[in-house]
Amino acid sequence: MERDPLTDIDPVESEEWIEAINSVIETEGVERAQYLLQRLSTKVTETGAQLPYAINTPYRNTIPISKEARMPGDLFMERSIRSLIRWNAMAMVMRANLKDGTLGGHISSFQSSATLYDVGFNYFFRGTTEEQLGDLIYIQGHSAPGIYARSFLEGSLSEEQLDKFRQEVDGDGLSSYPHPWLMPDYWQFPTVSMGLGPLQAIYQAHIMKYLDNRGLASRGSRKVWCFAGDGEMDEPESQGAIALAGRENLDNLIFVVNCNLQRLDGPVRGNGKIIQELEGVFRGAGWNVIKVVWGRQWDPLFEKDKFGLLQQRMDEAVDGEYQNYKSRSGGYTREHFFGKYPELLKIVEDLTDEDIFRLNRGGHDPYKVYAAYEAATTHTGQPTVILAKTVKGYGLGPAGEAQNYTHSVKKLDLEGLKDFRDRFDIPISDAELEKVPYYRPPEDSTEMRYLKQRRSSLGGSLPRRKSDFEALQIPPLSMLESVLKGTGDRQISTTMAFVRILSTLIKDKQIGERIVPIVPDEARTFGMEGMFRQLGIYSSGGQLYEPTDTDQIMYYREDKKGQVLEEGINEGGAFAAWLAAATSYSNNETPLIPFYVFYSMFGFQRIGDLCWAAGDLQARGFLMGGTSGRTTLNGEGLQHQDGHSHILASTVPNCVSYDPTYAYELAVIIRQGLQEMYVEKLPRYYYITIMNENYEQPAIPDGVEEGILRGMYCLQKNAVKTSKKVVQLLGSGTILRESIAASELLQKDFGVTADIWSVTSFNELRREGLSVHRWNMLHPQEKPRLSYVEECLTGVSGPVIAATDYMKAYADQIREFVPGLYSVLGTDGFGRSDTRERLRKFFEVDRYYITVAALSALAQENVIDAAQVTKAIELYGIDPGKPDPVTL
Ligand SMILES: Cc1ncc(C[n+]2csc(CCOP(=O)(O)OP(=O)(O)O)c2C)c(N)n1
Ligand SMILES: [Mg+2]
């Protein structure tokens, strides 16, 4: 049988080693001991031996008592203020539910993290001052009531506002969770979709360093704090980017993981220990890990623990048991935790069961938390994660402390309220209790003065969000002259045109340095590799090697001052970098103009929740969906061909999206985006698809700018009044060119004339149309207004046929506004690889299908005979028995 390598087969020898290392520590110090152990471990691993626990430390506080920084303030004063915050947080949730039992809310998460926030607010979180921009704090979403409660005490929220928790329809309520869209002067970061906070925070710290290295905004000693739940750490987004933080030495980043051992349904790791697991993961990623496991009530017990038995017991017990110790009682803990070893029972023989129950966890001990924060904020060269052990529903007692159902507790009964009040010494009488009143001490009380003094010394009340910024000077459209004038015979794609536009903007004296090109390892795909050398790829470490392609003009140049963000194959991360850049106008008081360029299939579909958060955040910037269109990106097949990103984009209320065909359209749209976002400061972002199909780019026709921006304009007016054989062909993206080709077939083969419309955005057309129709509905006696689509198509003759490289639902959106017959062609179904021509035939969006669809519509209107449609089907070799592509 194999022997457990950790069994001690020679205790005497072990003791000698321990004595030896002890003497090194005593005579030469900890550093020397560390060095020797390092050497030993290197030596031992040479033999192939595994050091299984190298990455974990025992289940104890990382900072020994001797190294704890001492909290300078008034512990008792802070406890009483914190108790009021606890009470008011609980009261606001309860009062909302007393009004209407359906509003919901959370009590127990904040009760577990109250000390973690409080120590931060009292000593560490700095607001923006003349000298320095403030710290950025990502607050755990469902702890929002506690943050509101503090703002109430600090005087920045009123009792009336607290009473409007979760009642936002009138516009002055408090949002359930942090939502900058709904409270734009208060909340900075949407975090409640679990995992998005940690991911955003990492890239926030990354962009902060980027700005500093590029000399655009000084970082000073600013910090990004991110509070997250231990359950939340299971989200791939939470942990997915921690290696970047380690690699980039983001010492401006501090994670605080509230390890209350529970998530919504039950324990996070009943059979293991979440703190130990996270320690290993973060340490492996190069983080400074600070565990705050035990509060100071335990310190004397450790002193009595001469043989490490208490430590051993702590290492043995699993989180499911630790939860029991807090959900049951001191007596239970004595029996089940200490009782396992008689020696441990002796250690606690002088303690009552109540004393045992009060043995506090590190995250509830302001001294331990302070020491951890102090160590984190002064640590250099690495990001820090603080793993703070807490109790979910702390203080709720029998009403829900550490119970599996704790997360969902929304109210306490009278007994529960009494217990809570007594436990935290809240000065509210029995008679008043039932109404659950808020409590705010008089303005001149010592508590209030203390609270305000603490915050004013740290730069004022937080959270606080800055909405406004200094408008940028955007160059006129004529700056993009070279793109507007067309390419003559030369064929280029809109992607290539985009790269030209971007290069031109980057050269602009006013805004050039603010442009941030971002790519997830796809620069070459989009022909952007020229920017590598020209602008440099941002790398905090510069370039420590000579790239293999230094002899090339476009070599891979990494630079500390590089402008391009090359985030690797990491769409979520690259988007989070875009988000940080797109909100830099607020968080760094430095507006940036980020362009994130990606495979359009891996945009909204892959990271849709972040795109949604971008709307909430009022991100300003451009998303460029490259290689767009189900048939345009032809060879790549099912997983790459995007036929629906515009539909997904349309779900974000403040995302403006376009599918332009021509380079000049793209130029007009980008210029307008700059104008709207950075001059008019409209809270929106742009999604624009670009393609890789090469064709001649015409010069901009006169007077089309407004139509391009509103969503459609007439590209070719061919119809003559005398003929009834007229159709209106609408096309977007590359498929517009098929519509143009169809118009030629219609004329040549069937004597039908077609007007051609370039539709740059069905999404924008629909939005405008819906809003006009809504107005008409609500103003029944006024002259009805016309939607823009109606304006364009009223008075022109013939049925309307739209074709795009997207699902039919995309063009179908404007049906309500199209006067007369409307047919839509699109690319429903899974993509597949083949030539563009064959794919367009397969998806039935090519010129022949458009022609047949147009003839079919004319036949339905009795303008031509149905036999003409049959003739076209035969003439173009279309198989009427062909299976519907959506089924394949
Ligand atoms: C992406 C996502 N999935 C699910 C939820 C629903 N949800 C809200 S809180 C919560 C449990 C959170 O547990 P934890 O992260 O440990 O935080 P705690 O309340 O324990 O501090 C869940 C599942 C959510 N908000 N976001
Ligand atoms: Mg938890």
Side-chain angles (χ1 to χ4, degrees):
M1 211 180 81
E2 237 178 86
R3 190 162 37 78
D4 178 355
L6 294 181
T7 309
D8 196 347
I9 52 163
D10 188 348
V12 176
E13 185 186 39
S14 309
E15 208 43 48
E16 283 167 9
W17 279 80
I18 291 190
E19 271 169 26
I21 202 78
N22 272 344
S23 105
V24 171
I25 293 171
E26 273 161 30
T27 55
E28 295 172 84
V30 179
E31 281 75 23
R32 173 75 186 149
Q34 218 168 315
Y35 172 79
L36 286 174
L37 285 178
Q38 193 71 45
R39 284 285 299 274
L40 282 176
S41 112
T42 309
K43 186 76 208 154
V44 171
T45 47
E46 272 171 18
T47 66
Q50 302 285 323
L51 295 180
Y53 295 117
I55 210 141
N56 271 117
T57 56
Y59 196 53
R60 68 154 87 101
N61 292 347
T62 305
I63 305 176
I65 302 170
S66 61
K67 294 229 166 127
E68 280 173 7
R70 188 80 180 154
M71 191 177 94
D74 179 340
L75 182 75
F76 295 100
M77 176 67 75
E78 287 175 21
R79 182 190 184 267
S80 71
I81 295 169
R82 184 162 52 254
S83 298
L84 296 177
I85 295 175
R86 288 181 184 282
W87 174 266
N88 289 322
M90 190 268 302
M92 75 182 291
V93 176
M94 263 192 82
R95 287 167 70 95
N97 285 291
L98 288 175
K99 240 190 259 173
D100 176 334
T102 66
L103 287 171
H106 296 93
I107 294 176
S108 59
S109 299
F110 177 70
Q111 297 303 337
S112 68
S113 54
T115 306
L116 300 177
Y117 287 108
D118 235 31
V119 174
F121 278 114
N122 283 335
Y123 299 100
F124 295 93
F125 304 161
R126 294 159 305 174
T128 295
T129 60
E130 296 279 299
E131 288 81 50
Q132 180 167 311
L133 290 167
D135 295 326
L136 298 174
I137 305 155
Y138 290 76
I139 285 162
Q140 221 185 332
H142 38 293
S143 286
I147 308 303
Y148 292 139
R150 169 172 268 275
S151 294
F152 167 64
L153 282 194
E154 288 178 12
S156 51
L157 291 179
S158 66
E159 189 161 328
E160 292 68 40
Q161 284 174 294
L162 293 202
D163 264 345
K164 295 201 106 187
F165 177 53
R166 294 191 170 219
Q167 297 147 75
E168 301 180 88
V169 162
D170 290 340
D172 55 353
L174 299 185
S175 54
S176 47
Y177 303 114
H179 292 301
W181 182 260
L182 297 166
M183 295 177 68
D185 302 322
Y186 189 87
W187 291 120
Q188 291 181 289
F189 307 110
T191 48
V192 79
S193 177
M194 314 254 105
L196 300 195
L199 181 69
Q200 289 180 72
I202 289 172
Y203 283 88
Q204 185 68 253
H206 180 45
I207 293 296
M208 203 182 262
K209 282 208 166 179
Y210 165 86
L211 282 173
D212 190 54
N213 279 327
R214 288 193 55 212
L216 289 174
S218 164
R219 175 165 72 87
S221 61
R222 281 181 98 188
K223 300 284 179 202
V224 177
W225 292 79
C226 175
F227 287 79
D230 48 357
E232 180 173 14
M233 293 315 291
D234 279 342
E235 290 285 3
E237 288 85 349
S238 301
Q239 292 191 28
I242 62 171
L244 169 109
R247 191 165 67 236
E248 288 288 314
N249 312 117
L250 299 182
D251 51 11
N252 53 340
L253 177 65
I254 298 166
F255 268 27
V256 181
V257 185
N258 173 21
C259 297
N260 56 23
L261 315 186
Q262 290 176 246
R263 41 181 166 72
L264 195 151
D265 283 340
V268 177
R269 291 289 183 275
N271 296 319
K273 282 206 277 295
I274 186 64
I275 290 181
Q276 297 299 88
E277 181 180 325
L278 292 175
E279 175 185 37
V281 171
F282 276 92
R283 187 158 286 152
W287 288 54
N288 172 40
V289 179
I290 301 178
K291 295 193 290 188
V292 186
V293 182
W294 302 114
R296 64 188 184 288
Q297 317 284 358
W298 285 87
D299 291 343
L301 300 189
F302 272 112
E303 273 186 19
K304 290 190 203 165
D305 179 35
K306 294 290 172 235
F307 302 101
L309 198 55
L310 182 55
Q311 183 62 55
Q312 182 187 324
R313 182 68 190 109
M314 282 172 178
D315 289 335
E316 281 167 5
V318 292
D319 282 355
E321 294 175 298
Y322 283 113
Q323 191 186 336
N324 273 326
Y325 304 145
K326 287 300 174 192
S327 70
R328 299 189 184 204
S329 65
Y332 178 91
T333 309
R334 185 192 302 277
E335 183 185 343
H336 293 270
F337 179 78
F338 296 103
K340 184 160 180 199
Y341 302 111
E343 297 91 324
L344 289 187
L345 271 181
K346 262 193 95 51
I347 288 186
V348 290
E349 67 187 357
D350 296 339
L351 302 186
T352 64
D353 286 354
E354 181 68 3
D355 293 334
I356 290 182
F357 194 70
R358 295 265 163 134
L359 288 171
N360 59 347
R361 291 189 178 169
H364 292 293
D365 187 330
Y367 282 146
K368 302 286 183 195
V369 174
Y370 179 89
Y373 286 6
E374 173 66 26
T377 48
T378 49
H379 187 80
T380 55
Q382 281 178 306
T384 293
V385 59
I386 292 165
L387 303 170
K389 186 166 178 172
T390 61
V391 181
K392 189 137 177 171
Y394 183 79
L396 296 185
E401 190 157 335
Q403 303 294 335
N404 277 338
Y405 59 78
T406 297
H407 190 84
S408 314
V409 171
K410 294 185 193 345
K411 48 179 184 281
L412 307 186
D413 60 15
L414 204 54
E415 261 333 282
L417 281 176
K418 273 190 189 147
D419 287 349
F420 193 88
R421 174 200 62 186
D422 296 342
R423 177 150 177 190
F424 295 112
D425 308 314
I426 311 294
I428 290 178
S429 69
D430 279 358
E432 291 174 300
L433 214 49
E434 211 150 350
K435 283 195 252 137
V436 207
Y438 300 117
Y439 185 81
R440 191 164 181 265
E443 214 59 48
D444 59 355
S445 61
T446 48
E447 287 96 334
M448 292 298 270
R449 275 189 278 137
Y450 186 93
L451 176 77
K452 293 201 164 165
Q453 188 279 331
R454 290 295 340 129
R455 281 316 309 162
S456 70
S457 74
L458 287 161
S461 245
L462 292 177
R464 193 167 53 202
R465 178 180 178 279
K466 196 164 189 288
S467 295
D468 202 13
F469 60 95
E470 208 165 306
L472 299 182
Q473 281 189 19
I474 301 299
L477 182 62
S478 57
M479 187 202 193
L480 301 172
E481 179 59 27
S482 66
V483 175
L484 295 171
K485 69 176 197 253
T487 54
D489 298 342
R490 263 205 75 203
Q491 301 200 340
I492 69 163
S493 65
T494 46
T495 303
M496 222 183 278
F498 163 68
V499 175
R500 286 183 189 175
I501 293 170
L502 192 61
S503 308
T504 311
L505 294 176
I506 283 168
K507 287 189 198 112
D508 182 76
K509 286 215 163 46
Q510 300 292 337
I511 60 167
E513 65 176 8
R514 294 174 187 269
I515 308 260
V516 183
I518 305 174
V519 281
D521 200 34
E522 298 287 357
R524 291 180 203 280
T525 313
F526 305 119
M528 292 168 69
E529 64 271 37
M531 292 188 179
F532 288 168
R533 208 206 65 183
Q534 185 201 344
L535 304 177
I537 297 164
Y538 172 67
S539 150
S540 61
Q543 192 158 34
L544 305 176
Y545 61 97
E546 184 183 333
T548 60
D549 51 2
T550 26
D551 55 335
Q552 311 272 314
I553 304 173
M554 301 183 188
Y555 72 90
Y556 198 85
R557 185 170 74 84
E558 299 196 57
D559 190 339
K560 211 169 166 166
K561 288 188 179 302
Q563 192 164 351
V564 177
L565 288 172
E566 162 69 88
E567 296 298 350
I569 311 170
N570 180 350
E571 280 77 11
F575 191 86
W578 180 85
L579 265 186
T583 51
S584 175
Y585 70 88
S586 169
N587 300 320
N588 305 307
E589 298 185 2
T590 307
L592 296 176
I593 308 173
F595 284 85
Y596 171 38
V597 198
F598 51 94
Y599 263 115
S600 69
M601 191 66 156
F602 304 135
F604 284 82
Q605 167 159 297
R606 178 91 185 207
I607 44 139
D609 206 16
L610 281 164
C611 299
W612 184 253
D616 193 349
L617 271 164
Q618 296 153 65
R620 290 177 167 87
F622 294 90
L623 301 179
M624 306 302 296
T627 57
S628 176
R630 184 101 70 204
T631 68
T632 305
L633 174 61
N634 54 332
E636 295 285 300
L638 183 151
Q639 189 72 71
H640 284 72
Q641 293 165 349
D642 163 35
H644 48 277
S645 67
H646 277 287
I647 292 172
L648 300 176
S650 78
T651 62
V652 180
N654 52 353
C655 168
V656 184
S657 49
Y658 288 99
D659 181 34
T661 307
Y662 296 126
Y664 68 78
E665 294 176 346
L666 186 62
V668 169
I669 292 164
I670 290 180
R671 169 65 184 62
Q672 179 70 8
L674 293 170
Q675 172 73 22
E676 286 185 352
M677 294 187 284
Y678 299 98
V679 180
E680 294 162 32
K681 303 185 197 171
L682 300 179
R684 54 179 58 167
Y685 69 91
Y686 271 58
Y687 174 58
I688 309 172
T689 41
I690 45 180
M691 282 83 65
N692 61 344
E693 184 169 342
N694 293 326
Y695 41 84
E696 287 162 19
Q697 300 290 347
I700 185 168
D702 282 338
V704 295
E705 281 175 50
E706 189 193 337
I708 291 174
L709 298 172
R710 296 188 76 179
M712 70 187 283
Y713 65 95
C714 189
L715 190 65
Q716 282 179 32
K717 185 91 193 131
N718 300 320
V720 282
K721 286 239 156 52
T722 47
S723 172
K724 283 197 81 179
K725 287 174 37 173
V726 174
V727 292
Q728 306 296 319
L729 298 185
L730 274 52
S732 89
T734 51
I735 301 301
L736 171 62
R737 290 165 34 80
E738 293 298 323
S739 301
I740 295 170
S743 77
E744 286 156 18
L745 294 176
L746 282 164
Q747 190 70 61
K748 174 168 75 75
D749 296 337
F750 296 93
V752 170
T753 314
D755 292 336
I756 313 278
W757 298 80
S758 171
V759 181
T760 48
S761 179
F762 282 100
N763 285 345
E764 288 306 297
L765 292 177
R766 176 172 172 80
R767 278 190 182 150
E768 194 266 357
L770 287 178
S771 112
V772 169
H773 280 202
R774 174 181 175 275
W775 190 90
N776 290 343
M777 179 185 83
L778 296 174
H779 300 84
Q781 295 190 290
E782 302 201 33
K783 184 168 170 260
R785 293 177 179 171
L786 282 186
S787 67
Y788 180 61
V789 174
E790 287 162 325
E791 232 174 75
C792 291
L793 297 177
T794 305
V796 300
S797 38
V800 179
I801 292 91
T804 78
D805 215 2
Y806 289 87
M807 290 174 68
K808 290 178 181 140
Y810 179 51
D812 208 52
Q813 296 183 91
I814 62 164
R815 180 172 297 280
E816 187 181 342
F817 319 111
V818 177
L821 202 153
Y822 185 46
S823 306
V824 164
L825 302 180
T827 55
D828 295 45
F830 283 118
R832 58 207 55 220
S833 27
D834 213 310
T835 63
R836 286 193 183 116
E837 199 182 340
R838 283 168 56 81
L839 282 174
R840 286 172 185 168
K841 184 172 180 189
F842 174 85
F843 279 108
E844 306 172 3
V845 293
D846 67 4
R847 59 198 65 185
Y848 305 109
Y849 275 93
I850 297 172
T851 303
V852 169
L855 294 171
S856 167
L858 285 172
Q860 282 176 59
E861 297 204 322
N862 295 319
V863 175
I864 61 168
D865 196 273
Q868 295 284 306
V869 190
T870 309
K871 184 182 149 194
I873 291 174
E874 282 165 10
L875 181 65
Y876 303 136
I878 290 172
D879 170 11
K882 171 179 174 290
D884 186 338
V886 78
T887 63
L888 295 175

